[in-house]
Amino acid sequence: MRATARVTEKREGDGIGAYSNAMWGGRFAAGPGAIMREINASIPFDKALWREDIAGSRAHAAMLAAQGIISGEDAAAIDAGLALIAQEYELEGVPEDWDLEDIHMTTESRLGELIGAAAGRLHTARSRNDQVATDFRLWVRAACERAEAGLAALQRALVTRAGEHAADIMPGFTHLQTAQPVTLGHHLLAYYEMLRRDRSRFAAARARMAECPLGSAALAGTGFPIDREATAKALGFARPTANSLDSVSDRDFALDYLSAAAQCALHLSRLAEELILWASQPFGFVRLPDALSTGSSIMPQKKNPDAAELVRGHSGRIAGALVSLMVTMKGLPLAYSKDMQDDKPPVFEAAGLLELSLAAMAGMIADSSFDTARMRAAAEAGFATATDLADWLVREAGVPFREAHHIAGAAVKLAEERGTALDALPLADLRAIDARIDERVFAALSVENSVAARASYGGTAPTRVREQVEAARQELGMDD
């Protein structure tokens, strides 16, 4: 009610045009028309920047006072007023007065109501151009940190489950066809590695955005003796940006975030797709937690993997957000253009979807139950040790690999015709295919020995999986 009453009072006293004119300055004789008012207003979405906007303004006012540009008394009043506005926003939300356009003018207007003329000194030596560039950069920096935290939580879940299933055998697939046996722990750690790269991308993006645009003003800098190092330090940046034109027109930091988010979402989508497949009755490898599944309105037996499907679906929206901002920025001349007002909605949407997806996947991995007996049976049923037969012929009989591959293929064909597993074929039948095969081959054809034999660095052997689990636990600080 506070915001509505304030706007009504302004309209009754001065009219929309006069009030808007007061905020815009003397250049315009009347306020924008209804269409312009609606297309121009960004407060419905950029109100999300209120914390960053107030932090930037408080740092700016403190610097102005330290440099003798405004008085200490005015700076103190500004700071106290901004602190009170932050309390109001926290408790009541940010009011949406479209005549004030955005979060910056909304806050400055409220500050004027609270402290009077001193509020007008806050905007000395800055523009909304460097103000929004700073606010948005602060918001995206925090979004990178939230993404990294969400990724770490999912990594911990993956590593925990990988340790539990370091020796449990399942079929490994290529082309979604049974290829070679692997361990479930090894499979889960593959996603751990993808997420390691995702975390590095967010960290690199955060490092690149560690420069503060505040003080670049509209596009050319300012004639006031400001201290940009001070405001950069106060806001947690490593340094100020080096070029004022680039500072107000740069949105690379947002594109960096979206690029990292899109690739991360791609990885989450792949993991979600596997869980969806594994949870289906033909696979039956996993039972997803009830809390992240839904039922059917008509079929009582159904347990739908809706959370995983939504994570898979969200990946497309996150990738679309990246494309949206790239297309917005691709043809803009220096410096600021109003097109850039559309930079925030795709970033806000992508961040919300990504953080929700990470939390959902961490819950799914942590609370799912795996049917390891069914996984093992599937590995045994798909002739997954055919490569082991070829490798045995190379290693023990000196057969060239291409010839060994042909012999192993013939053995698979025979087992398929007999409806039996490869290691269940009689030795006599195997020797009829190639006389160099002897009884030692059966040790190589078991899924346990097949998995154990893949002991090269990064392989699926349980000893290697346990080593990788321990390395990952140390990297994540899980043993501290």
Side-chain angles (χ1 to χ4, degrees):
M1 292 301 297
R2 169 182 56 78
T4 303
R6 185 170 73 246
V7 174
T8 301
E9 180 183 351
K10 291 288 184 181
R11 288 175 176 169
E12 289 174 352
D14 299 320
I16 295 174
Y19 181 58
S20 180
N21 183 45
M23 297 304 296
W24 279 17
R27 171 66 180 84
F28 294 91
I35 294 174
M36 184 61 195
R37 174 178 176 271
E38 185 162 348
I39 198 172
N40 195 48
S42 59
I43 188 64
F45 55 84
D46 71 15
K47 64 183 180 181
L49 299 174
W50 72 261
R51 292 178 179 83
E52 291 77 15
D53 194 64
I54 288 177
S57 291
R58 295 180 78 174
H60 184 67
M63 179 276 295
L64 292 176
Q67 294 298 104
I69 298 171
I70 66 174
S71 70
E73 182 181 4
D74 283 344
I78 289 169
D79 191 74
L82 290 170
L84 180 58
I85 293 170
Q87 292 177 20
E88 292 177 351
Y89 288 173
E90 193 72 61
L91 292 173
E92 304 173 33
V94 179
E96 290 189 24
D97 180 355
W98 287 22
D99 292 317
L100 293 174
E101 298 182 23
D102 56 33
I103 184 61
H104 321 298
M105 303 302 267
T106 297
T107 299
E108 186 176 332
S109 173
R110 179 60 177 151
L111 185 64
E113 292 177 354
L114 290 172
I115 69 171
R121 301 190 186 280
L122 173 59
H123 211 53
T124 305
R126 77 173 182 185
S127 160
R128 277 193 293 180
N129 292 355
D130 63 332
Q131 189 178 358
V132 68
T134 303
D135 294 354
F136 195 22
R137 194 175 288 232
L138 287 168
W139 194 96
V140 174
R141 184 178 70 185
C144 285
E145 293 166 357
R146 292 194 301 271
E148 290 179 70
L151 282 162
L154 177 51
Q155 284 182 303
R156 287 191 291 271
L158 287 165
V159 169
T160 298
R161 303 312 302 273
E164 295 169 3
H165 297 288
D168 288 322
I169 294 170
M170 64 173 290
F173 299 98
T174 61
H175 308 278
L176 206 56
Q177 303 291 309
T178 298
Q180 293 177 297
V182 297
T183 67
L184 175 56
H186 189 61
H187 194 111
L188 295 174
L189 286 179
Y191 286 98
Y192 172 83
E193 293 298 324
M194 294 183 203
L195 301 185
R196 283 183 74 238
R197 296 191 293 274
D198 290 329
R199 287 185 70 183
S200 74
R201 277 183 277 271
F202 283 112
R206 184 162 44 83
R208 277 193 295 274
M209 66 182 72
E211 298 181 342
C212 182
L214 193 58
S216 298
L219 75 163
T222 179
F224 290 95
I226 61 173
D227 184 351
R228 294 190 63 207
E229 294 282 354
T231 48
K233 182 178 179 180
L235 294 171
F237 291 101
R239 65 193 71 84
T241 51
N243 182 284
S244 61
L245 279 168
D246 177 59
S247 300
V248 299
S249 60
D250 168 41
R251 293 298 183 270
D252 286 0
F253 63 91
L255 289 167
D256 278 351
Y257 172 82
L258 288 175
S259 179
Q263 197 148 353
C264 178
L266 182 153
H267 293 150
L268 298 181
S269 181
R270 295 183 72 181
L271 177 55
E273 170 66 7
E274 293 208 306
L275 291 176
I276 292 163
L277 286 172
W278 292 359
S280 67
Q281 282 75 17
F283 275 83
F285 287 179
V286 67
R287 181 177 177 81
L288 298 178
D290 290 348
L292 291 166
S293 304
T294 66
S296 166
S297 64
I298 189 173
M299 294 169 284
Q301 83 281 9
K302 294 288 295 299
K303 180 178 178 181
N304 298 327
D306 282 10
E309 290 172 351
L310 287 166
V311 168
R312 186 176 61 184
H314 288 169
S315 66
R317 293 170 65 186
I318 293 170
L322 170 61
V323 174
S324 173
L325 185 54
M326 292 178 73
V327 173
T328 295
M329 297 301 298
K330 72 176 182 62
L332 298 185
L334 295 176
Y336 182 83
S337 297
K338 195 67 170 181
D339 313 46
M340 293 165 70
Q341 182 169 288
D342 284 340
D343 57 359
K344 287 168 280 297
V347 175
F348 293 163
E349 180 186 26
L353 292 172
L354 180 67
E355 290 162 28
L356 188 59
S357 295
L358 285 166
M361 293 309 299
M364 267 183 274
I365 293 298
D367 296 334
S368 289
S369 57
F370 296 96
D371 190 336
T372 54
R374 184 149 180 164
M375 287 181 163
R376 178 193 170 88
E380 290 176 330
F383 310 113
T385 58
T387 305
D388 297 275
L389 173 56
D391 287 348
W392 185 90
L393 286 163
V394 171
R395 188 171 54 249
E396 302 297 334
V399 179
F401 181 79
R402 284 300 168 204
E403 183 183 352
H405 184 281
H406 179 78
I407 295 167
V412 168
K413 181 180 180 182
L414 178 62
E416 196 169 37
E417 290 171 351
R418 299 271 182 88
T420 187
L422 195 58
D423 61 351
L425 286 172
L427 177 60
D429 289 343
L430 289 172
R431 289 181 61 82
I433 294 171
D434 192 282
R436 289 168 289 189
I437 298 175
D438 61 43
E439 65 277 355
R440 293 174 300 163
V441 76
F442 291 105
L445 295 183
S446 72
V447 289
E448 287 88 359
N449 286 341
S450 174
V451 165
R454 267 61 186 181
S456 57
Y457 181 77
T460 193
T463 55
R464 291 289 175 260
V465 173
R466 293 187 180 99
E467 289 172 359
Q468 292 301 318
V469 165
E470 183 55 35
R473 290 181 64 88
Q474 292 182 14
E475 185 173 71
L476 294 170
M478 294 175 67
D479 296 323
D480 294 345

